[in-house]
Amino acid sequence: MKAGVIGAGAWGTALAQLLAADGQEVRLWAREPDVVDAINRDHVNPLYLPGVPLSASIVSTDAMADMADREMLLVVSPAQHLRSVVAQAPAGVPLVLCSKGIEAGTSLLMSEVAAQAQPTSPIAVLSGPTFAAEVARGLPTAITLACADGDLAARIAQRIARPAFRPYLSDDVIGAEIGGAVKNVLAIACGVTEGAGLGLNARAALISRGFAEMTRFGLARGARVETLAGLSGLGDLVLTCSSTNSRNFSLGKGLGEGRPAAELLANRRTVAEGAFTAPVLRAAARAAGVEMPVTEAVCALLEDVAPLAQVIDALLARPLRPE
Ligand SMILES: NC(=O)c1ccc[n+]([C@@H]2O[C@H](COP(=O)([O-])OP(=O)(O)OC[C@H]3O[C@@H](n4cnc5c(N)ncnc54)[C@H](O)[C@@H]3O)[C@@H](O)[C@H]2O)c1
Ligand SMILES: O=P(O)(O)OC[C@H](O)CO
């Protein structure tokens, strides 16, 4: 399948590098002319994936018309911009959605947004524990590829699989998306434990209780529990809650150190999706009658409505309950 990638941030660039590993041409759409020039001229993306020499088979463009002959398009924009970039994409081409989040204003998952923006395009979701820099370096990685159409999923899997990049197939698109969206919010919470020096017990508690939240919310939205317990859910939760290589964890660490959210979020070039997903997730959970206390706590810190100590105390003081 002739492949295109829409979005040349860290993850889009790493995925283009992966797809180009067998020498096939990969088109990479970037918003920034500087990024297009650097990729085509020097085979690097210093803005978003510095230090990684890129394949000469990657051809970058800022013209969406150049994607017209592609047989599959990986969409790798920030979640809040997915609707606008998908609307510009050629119609009818299979879309592999790689963004992790929930759309503000509509509470729609990315597959639901894409279906509205390009109603004739088949949709798959690619999501899992995948730091872009590690994938770009060829380090071993496994990921969930979810698609309702098993034949299309198999063709996409053949195109993206590499000796060190292993997709696992699923037909639970919603489940794969919910794991990727919710884990970003929980990673902020785990980063807080690091920044505030709360210890590793607290982090493990948040991963476990956060996973319970993810599962409750996912089941309410029709996800399957085995998807949530797989690579795109628990797998990505563990990765993103473990290291400052995660932008979401780093944001939480800053909050835990007592820095205001507004300062941490101002003038960011790279995206910490959890900051955008958290309020949408809270609203969707409340509307569905699903309790998500960790998500509520993250929102309180992002909105700066209560001091850190008070937010932590409130989480710990919740009524005792069965696990
Ligand atoms: N970086 C990773 O390791 C990784 C891994 C898996 C999934 N993801 C997901 O991929 C998505 C993209 O993240 P990233 O890390 O590649 O991005 P990034 O933070 O490296 O770069 C920001 C991206 O946002 C784009 N952008 C900024 N304003 C925009 C606008 N108005 N319209 C469209 N695009 C705009 C920029 O061009 C750039 O491509 C996110 O949803 C993220 O959660 C990232
Ligand atoms: O850096 P983060 O927190 O956006 O995480 C990147 C990926 O989603 C990890 O799978």
Side-chain angles (χ1 to χ4, degrees):
M1 298 174 92
K2 287 188 277 185
V5 178
I6 299 178
W11 189 218
T13 306
L15 286 167
Q17 176 79 340
L18 183 87
L19 289 161
D22 57 7
Q24 290 192 58
E25 185 195 313
V26 175
R27 295 249 174 95
L28 176 55
W29 178 86
R31 284 178 77 240
E32 301 86 350
D34 290 357
V35 171
V36 173
D37 289 345
I39 292 173
N40 290 338
R41 190 187 54 229
D42 304 325
H43 309 296
V44 286
N45 183 345
L47 212 55
Y48 294 117
L49 196 61
V52 176
L54 299 175
S55 164
S57 302
I58 301 174
V59 177
S60 191
T61 178
D62 59 4
M64 201 61 91
D66 290 337
M67 296 296 183
D69 69 340
R70 299 292 95 183
E71 293 164 319
M72 81 177 186
L73 290 171
L74 275 60
V75 182
V76 205
S77 66
Q80 303 307 325
H81 299 301
L82 184 129
R83 182 181 291 276
S84 67
V85 298
V86 166
Q88 300 168 51
V93 182
L95 300 173
V96 183
L97 309 179
C98 308
S99 314
K100 295 173 179 172
I102 305 175
E103 191 180 54
T106 64
S107 293
L108 293 177
L109 298 168
M110 297 297 100
S111 63
E112 297 164 334
V113 173
Q116 287 185 350
Q118 284 296 349
T120 63
S121 301
I123 287 167
V125 163
L126 189 65
S127 190
T130 55
F131 282 142
E134 295 188 15
V135 171
R137 288 166 55 210
L139 297 179
T141 299
I143 193 165
T144 301
L145 175 64
C147 182
D149 176 344
D151 292 338
L152 177 60
R155 286 199 296 137
I156 296 170
Q158 281 300 325
R159 180 65 183 88
I160 63 172
R162 294 283 175 266
F165 189 84
R166 187 172 166 76
Y168 283 78
L169 302 187
S170 167
D171 60 2
D172 183 6
V173 172
I174 298 280
E177 293 192 278
I178 285 177
V182 176
K183 68 87 189 174
N184 282 332
V185 178
L186 301 173
I188 295 175
C190 285
V192 171
T193 65
E194 171 119 340
L198 302 180
L200 296 175
N201 295 349
R203 186 164 83 190
L206 279 174
I207 292 175
S208 301
R209 296 312 305 160
F211 181 63
E213 280 191 27
M214 179 194 287
T215 304
R216 281 197 295 273
F217 182 75
L219 293 179
R221 289 288 290 260
R224 292 205 304 268
V225 74
E226 65 267 27
T227 314
L228 300 166
L231 292 161
S232 55
L234 183 59
D236 208 356
L237 180 64
V238 169
L239 178 76
T240 320
C241 289
S242 302
S243 144
T244 47
N245 289 347
S246 155
R247 286 89 48 100
N248 290 289
F249 185 94
S250 295
L251 169 62
K253 182 166 179 272
L255 293 171
E257 288 162 351
R259 296 168 62 193
E263 175 199 310
L264 292 164
L265 291 170
N267 304 320
R268 278 189 76 98
R269 179 177 294 136
T270 60
V271 66
E273 291 282 23
F276 301 99
T277 300
V280 194
L281 179 60
R282 174 182 59 187
R286 285 179 182 173
V290 174
E291 242 191 316
M292 298 192 79
V294 179
T295 300
E296 296 270 354
V298 169
C299 288
L301 294 177
L302 289 171
E303 290 160 2
D304 214 359
V305 294
L308 177 61
Q310 193 179 316
V311 172
I312 295 167
D313 286 351
L315 254 189
L316 289 169
R318 298 176 70 247
L320 300 179
R321 47 172 292 175
E323 190 175 22

